[in-house]
Amino acid sequence: MITVQDLHKKFGDNQVLKGINCEVKEKEVVCVIGPSGSGKSTFLRCLNLLEDITSGDVIVDGYNLRDRATDINMIRTEVGMVFQQFNLFPHKTVIQNVMLAPRKVRKISAEEARKRGEALLVKVGLAEKADQYPAQLSGGQQQRVAIARALAMEPKLMLFDEPTSALDPELVGEVLEVMKQLAKEGMTMVVVTHEMGFAREVADRVLFMDEGIIMEENTPDVIFTNPASERTKNFLNKVL
Amino acid sequence: MFDFAQVIDFLPQLGKGLYYTLLISVIGLLIGFILGAIFGLGRISKNKFFFVISSIYVEVIRGTPVLVQAIWIFFALPIITQYNMDSVPAGIVVIAINSGAYIAEIVRGSVDSIDKGQMEAGRSLGLNKHQTMRYIIWPQAFKRMIPPLGNQFIISIKDTSLLSVILVPELMFQGRYIASNHFNAVEIYTTVALFYLVINFSLSLLLRYIERRLNY
């Protein structure tokens, strides 16, 4: 589903990604962990070209993102993204947030979009909030709406950029629950996270990033119980 | 000592002035808003040419007095273009061009103030840049524009009084005409001032109402 080859990313003189290689298969759940500033989020944002790529190749669903012929808007309809800060549209109600992209990009009818949107809100447990504005919801509820909004495009792949980092501790669980459900249904997911419990339980594979490269990648069992690199050990000692 | 009752006799003439004041304000500000939207987006455009043109426009207009602009457009421009413009259309052009520059800055500031995450969220859903601007950024920016736009509208409405120097038969022009012929400066200029006050205060109330309606 995703192939990344020798990905480099610079912000001015600051080299953030220094040659990332990895592969994500269909229906796989990959968690990316690592200290802040290690380039995890930048890496994730390169996968749908929210950051442009300095060099290297990112191939998503068979399309090379650096190929000029690739229609990035088309790719993005297949790649859902959930942000740390939710980024819901504050001037639209919950259901309008979910309906907007299917209406304007997929061009489906309002009725159809509403029906699908309502079904998704049921799925994330927020059916009764459809007509409220984002500001009226808790952080956890907002993030679940954001997940429903991304799912409304029926993407083949979901990217999560620290989806629970902005939440109060007691609200983290409800969001992780939705994500677990999604993983169980076979969604391909790449999750940048600090939730080690989630990574351990849900991930098929864990990538440990540090200083712009993938230091280590393995199954969660191995990473969390018997990591190969000293760096990974150090990091896990601090966070676990 | 002062005879405000006589003002009634001059109301038709002042009413005519009021008509031109409102006409020029409404049309001028409508065009000004369009200019402001275009050049405001120019000021945040990645297109160098569009950016430079927009910046020159904003700086030239903001850097020169509206009175000079009015006189230049009415007396100097016809010499260059060999085309005489009537005073009313010239007045509309002055208000449009002048307010457009300030509105451009208001538009730029408001659009800039919308969190970058909004654009990213829109784009990540597959909306193109234009769609994201239209459905997500612009409606939010518009709400933030209303208070400063209200300010600018009021300033521009008051600026129309300067158009009396290019013979636009607006409120101030009529007031000066009456006062100099009937020696009733206190009564007439007080009335003229009240007219402006009523227009601008009504506008304030209207804008406050619109802003409340757009609350979310």
Side-chain angles (χ1 to χ4, degrees):
Chain A
M1 175 99 344
I2 307 176
T3 307
V4 178
Q5 284 164 347
D6 199 28
L7 170 62
H8 285 73
K9 169 70 187 174
K10 272 190 201 166
F11 292 104
D13 287 338
N14 183 14
Q15 180 110 29
V16 178
L17 300 180
K18 301 170 184 166
I20 304 267
N21 292 286
C22 82
E23 188 120 4
V24 178
K25 293 188 201 67
E26 216 176 314
K27 302 202 171 184
E28 202 177 19
V29 177
V30 173
C31 283
V32 185
I33 62 172
S36 35
S38 58
K40 312 181 293 287
S41 287
T42 305
F43 164 60
L44 192 75
R45 291 160 58 85
C46 285
L47 299 182
N48 67 351
L49 233 53
L50 280 185
E51 301 292 349
D52 52 357
I53 294 164
T54 307
S55 71
D57 287 305
V58 176
I59 296 149
V60 175
D61 196 23
Y63 295 91
N64 190 331
L65 300 191
R66 297 198 70 204
D67 193 336
R68 284 176 158 272
T70 301
D71 176 2
I72 186 61
N73 292 321
M74 192 272 286
I75 303 285
R76 283 174 176 153
T77 64
E78 309 294 346
V79 181
M81 184 152 192
V82 174
F83 300 87
Q84 183 176 353
Q85 299 296 340
F86 330 135
N87 295 342
L88 292 179
F89 308 135
H91 60 303
K92 294 192 173 293
T93 62
V94 164
I95 189 75
Q96 286 169 344
N97 264 275
V98 177
M99 287 166 62
L100 179 76
R103 290 273 288 124
K104 303 300 177 192
V105 180
R106 296 257 196 249
K107 312 275 185 205
I108 68 174
S109 72
E111 262 168 77
E112 178 65 26
R114 179 170 288 273
K115 216 164 57 185
R116 264 202 237 171
E118 280 166 354
L120 283 166
L121 289 178
V122 169
K123 182 174 175 159
V124 299
L126 291 170
E128 76 285 3
K129 303 286 184 190
D131 294 316
Q132 301 204 0
Y133 285 93
Q136 297 168 291
L137 306 184
S138 73
Q141 291 171 334
Q142 290 192 46
Q143 193 61 299
R144 286 187 281 151
V145 173
I147 293 173
R149 178 178 69 178
L151 290 176
M153 291 299 283
E154 301 183 325
K156 294 180 179 162
L157 161 73
M158 288 281 284
L159 307 176
F160 292 85
D161 188 3
E162 301 196 24
T164 57
S165 296
L167 297 176
D168 290 340
E170 77 271 21
L171 302 176
V172 169
E174 60 191 66
V175 173
L176 293 182
E177 218 33 66
V178 170
M179 291 168 63
K180 267 182 219 170
Q181 184 61 34
L182 209 53
K184 232 182 268 172
E185 290 168 13
M187 176 62 78
T188 311
M189 294 161 65
V190 181
V191 185
V192 171
T193 187
H194 291 293
E195 294 295 328
M196 298 305 150
F198 175 82
R200 190 175 232 168
E201 186 184 338
V202 182
D204 296 308
R205 206 145 42 91
V206 175
L207 311 183
F208 173 71
M209 277 185 73
D210 195 15
E211 295 185 352
I213 57 167
I214 296 175
M215 294 287 284
E216 185 168 354
E217 75 173 278
N218 217 319
T219 61
D221 271 354
V222 176
I223 290 264
F224 287 111
T225 56
N226 192 18
S229 95
E230 221 29 62
R231 283 274 181 73
T232 316
K233 251 179 235 170
N234 270 334
F235 173 73
L236 289 173
N237 274 337
K238 278 182 209 150
V239 297
L240 286 179
Chain B
M1 190 166 76
F2 302 126
D3 174 19
F4 275 93
Q6 61 161 315
V7 169
I8 292 171
D9 297 337
F10 300 109
L11 281 184
Q13 201 178 340
L14 289 174
K16 196 176 142 208
L18 180 65
Y19 165 76
Y20 281 110
T21 294
L22 290 175
L23 179 81
I24 289 171
S25 298
V26 170
I27 302 178
L29 284 170
L30 219 61
I31 301 172
F33 184 72
I34 295 167
L35 289 176
I38 294 169
F39 290 109
L41 294 178
R43 295 271 277 172
I44 42 180
S45 171
K46 285 197 181 116
N47 181 321
K48 273 254 165 61
F49 178 75
F50 192 23
F51 171 79
V52 168
I53 292 289
S54 305
S55 301
I56 291 174
Y57 165 64
V58 168
E59 295 304 341
V60 167
I61 298 301
R62 282 203 310 184
T64 53
V66 61
L67 186 59
V68 174
Q69 292 162 11
I71 290 175
W72 194 87
I73 284 173
F74 191 64
F75 293 109
L77 190 61
I79 298 172
I80 300 170
T81 61
Q82 294 294 312
Y83 174 78
N84 275 318
M85 215 184 326
D86 285 341
S87 62
V88 171
I92 291 173
V93 168
V94 171
I95 295 301
I97 290 180
N98 183 269
S99 66
Y102 290 94
I103 293 172
E105 284 299 271
I106 293 170
V107 168
R108 180 182 70 87
S110 306
V111 171
D112 252 357
S113 76
I114 303 300
D115 184 66
K116 283 198 169 44
Q118 292 290 306
M119 177 58 89
E120 290 184 350
R123 299 304 306 274
S124 78
L125 287 164
L127 295 160
N128 62 36
K129 198 171 176 188
H130 171 77
Q131 288 172 316
T132 310
M133 281 304 284
R134 176 165 163 202
Y135 299 115
I136 296 167
I137 308 297
W138 190 259
Q140 295 181 57
F142 186 72
K143 192 189 168 215
R144 293 190 190 174
M145 280 176 216
I146 291 175
L149 269 184
N151 259 337
Q152 184 55 45
F153 285 3
I154 286 170
I155 290 169
S156 288
I157 288 169
K158 291 188 294 185
D159 280 348
T160 60
S161 65
L162 297 168
L163 299 174
S164 59
V165 300
I166 61 166
L167 313 177
V168 175
E170 44 71 58
L171 197 49
M172 186 61 195
F173 179 91
Q174 304 290 357
R176 277 201 338 196
Y177 184 83
I178 298 167
S180 58
N181 283 309
H182 299 273
F183 310 106
N184 50 1
V186 172
E187 293 86 346
I188 289 299
Y189 288 136
T190 306
T191 309
V192 165
L194 274 175
F195 273 39
Y196 283 111
L197 183 62
V198 168
I199 299 171
N200 286 326
F201 187 61
S202 314
L203 181 63
S204 280
L205 292 179
L206 176 71
L207 286 163
R208 218 173 296 166
Y209 173 74
I210 293 174
E211 199 182 356
R212 232 174 333 163
R213 283 288 305 273
L214 283 176
N215 249 340
Y216 46 77

